[in-house]
Amino acid sequence: MSTKEKIQEDVAVAEKESNQNEIVLYNDEVNTFDHVINSLIYACEHTPEQAEQCSIIVHYKGKCTVKTGDIEELEPRCSMLLEAGLSAEIV
């Protein structure tokens, strides 16, 4: 594989990754840690440990990216979080 082919391959991979959207979860003063954790496990298919870590980040930093992917995959997941009373958006 030549250097030129390798560079073109790296650019193609970077472009594909940059098309990913994110669900960002925001902190609120209403929902409990347990509710947020259970919602992330349900809507985003997080492990309990992953959901707990995200909820702690949201609590202390104010927001956290909880899922990345194509918009078609993220829209129903974000809707589930919103229906659960959480504050989230796709960016």
Side-chain angles (χ1 to χ4, degrees), residues 24-28 56-64 87:
V24 178
L25 181 65
Y26 295 96
N27 191 31
D28 62 40
I56 291 170
I57 292 169
V58 168
H59 179 72
Y60 286 105
K61 299 285 186 178
K63 65 180 181 177
C64 179
S87 179

Side-chain angles (χ1 to χ4, degrees), residues 6-80:
K6 178 67 175 155
I7 291 171
Q8 288 176 337
E9 181 180 322
D10 290 344
V11 170
V13 169
E15 286 177 356
K16 187 174 182 180
E17 290 175 358
S18 67
N19 292 335
Q20 299 289 301
N21 294 81
E22 303 175 337
I23 297 176
V24 178
L25 181 65
Y26 295 96
N27 191 31
D28 62 40
E29 301 300 324
V30 178
N31 293 295
T32 65
F33 275 98
D34 285 340
H35 179 66
V36 174
I37 290 167
N38 290 332
S39 297
L40 289 172
I41 291 169
Y42 174 71
C44 297
E45 298 179 2
H46 282 197
T47 64
E49 294 83 8
Q50 188 179 19
E52 182 179 1
Q53 289 174 348
C54 286
S55 67
I56 291 170
I57 292 169
V58 168
H59 179 72
Y60 286 105
K61 299 285 186 178
K63 65 180 181 177
C64 179
T65 297
V66 295
K67 193 76 172 174
T68 59
D70 295 325
I71 191 76
E72 295 81 18
E73 176 193 356
L74 298 182
E75 284 177 336
R77 295 178 188 276
C78 189
S79 293
M80 285 187 261

